[in-house]
Amino acid sequence: MSSGTILLIEDETEIAELLSLYFEKEGFRLIHAVDGEAGLRRLEERSPRVVLLDIGLPGIDGMEVCRRIRSASDVPVIMLTARDSEIDKVVGLEIGADDYVTKPFSPRELVARVKAVLRRSEERPTKPQVLEVGGFSVDSGRREVTTPAKTVVRPTAREFDLLWYLVEHAGLVLSRSQLLEAVWGYDYFGETRTVDVHVRQLRKKLPDIPLETVWGVGYRIGG
Ligand code: CA
């Protein structure tokens, strides 16, 4: 049984060959495009379940490819970054990627991330709900937040998932690894910084939301 099609947009064919072995073993079918233009075409023709997107591509770079994907599709995108310093850029520019891995990565880890992303996209709450925290209403159906001044803010997909998890557990202190596990769906040592980066983005967009840092532990909202 096929687990679905994965689109890899990556100019290094060695990576593509290696990944295609791993993904096929797991029941996926990997299709490969060597640049952004070809990738965008493949996306339209083949409707993959997940896109793996390299940042450093010839022609249109990965950031721009991600933006273009987002303007047309909700398909989960995992960015392949060459340097740690690119992570802040990926998150900070809000290009709408769902996850990222830093090269060199293990194919096994990437497969795990793909499965986690697929699990998450299937687990999105079916019954939309609105929860209140400190005068902010958080709407899981529209995936937006209304501030006390009635401004509507739309966080990125991942920021929203993080916020929603915090709000559903309002008043509780949640550790970074708990949040990583719940929102990102894996527990990857050394990447709890991801949580901090997303919290920073949320605070920037929702400056008065009662999202506190509990030193040495993690984060808490409201309560
Ligand atoms: Ca590259």
Side-chain angles (χ1 to χ4, degrees):
M1 202 187 78
S2 167
S3 313
T5 301
I6 309 288
L7 171 60
L8 170 69
I9 310 177
E10 162 69 78
D11 55 319
E12 288 166 67
T13 40
E14 278 163 32
I15 292 186
E17 279 160 17
L18 177 69
L19 289 182
S20 114
L21 288 177
Y22 272 84
F23 277 96
E24 267 156 36
K25 221 162 48 192
E26 296 286 331
F28 293 97
R29 180 196 188 93
L30 191 88
I31 50 178
H32 176 216
V34 291
D35 61 33
E37 302 268 6
L40 290 165
R41 271 200 310 276
R42 285 302 190 85
L43 175 66
E44 219 181 296
E45 295 160 4
R46 306 290 295 271
S47 313
R49 291 182 74 198
V50 177
V51 176
L52 307 174
L53 175 58
D54 184 32
I55 289 194
L57 288 170
I60 333 169
D61 77 5
M63 301 281 198
E64 181 54 29
V65 174
C66 189
R67 269 187 216 104
R68 293 194 196 175
I69 291 175
R70 270 296 156 268
S71 66
S73 159
D74 283 332
V75 64
V77 176
I78 301 178
M79 306 290 295
L80 312 179
T81 66
R83 290 181 301 275
D84 263 339
S85 61
E86 284 178 345
I87 293 177
D88 275 8
K89 219 159 93 192
V90 171
V91 177
L93 287 178
E94 299 173 10
I95 52 175
D98 291 77
D99 204 352
Y100 42 81
V101 292
T102 309
K103 289 178 181 177
F105 49 79
S106 81
R108 189 169 305 174
E109 187 199 333
L110 189 58
V111 170
R113 300 279 186 106
V114 165
K115 287 182 176 171
V117 158
L118 286 171
R119 216 164 34 238
R120 264 195 320 273
S121 64
E122 279 148 19
E123 271 170 9
R124 293 260 156 89
T126 43
K127 218 191 287 163
Q129 240 190 310
V130 179
L131 295 176
E132 306 275 334
V133 66
F136 289 78
S137 24
V138 185
D139 184 329
S140 74
R142 296 173 175 275
R143 300 179 67 80
E144 61 186 31
V145 183
T146 308
T147 70
K150 304 292 172 217
T151 309
V152 175
V153 177
R154 283 185 193 84
T156 64
R158 187 52 59 79
E159 288 161 13
F160 189 88
D161 290 342
L162 173 63
L163 178 64
W164 185 252
Y165 192 80
L166 284 159
V167 171
E168 274 189 312
H169 299 86
L172 298 179
V173 180
L174 301 170
S175 72
R176 287 174 178 81
S177 46
Q178 247 175 313
L179 290 167
L180 199 63
E181 179 67 41
V183 179
W184 280 261
Y186 56 88
D187 198 333
Y188 184 63
F189 177 74
E191 290 223 13
T192 51
R193 189 166 76 90
T194 307
V195 177
D196 302 328
V197 175
H198 283 77
V199 164
R200 202 155 70 223
Q201 292 297 326
L202 277 172
R203 284 181 172 145
K204 217 184 277 173
K205 291 180 182 175
L206 302 163
D208 298 318
I209 200 150
L211 171 51
E212 329 160 45
T213 304
V214 181
W215 292 108
V217 191
Y219 296 101
R220 169 172 57 202
I221 204 162

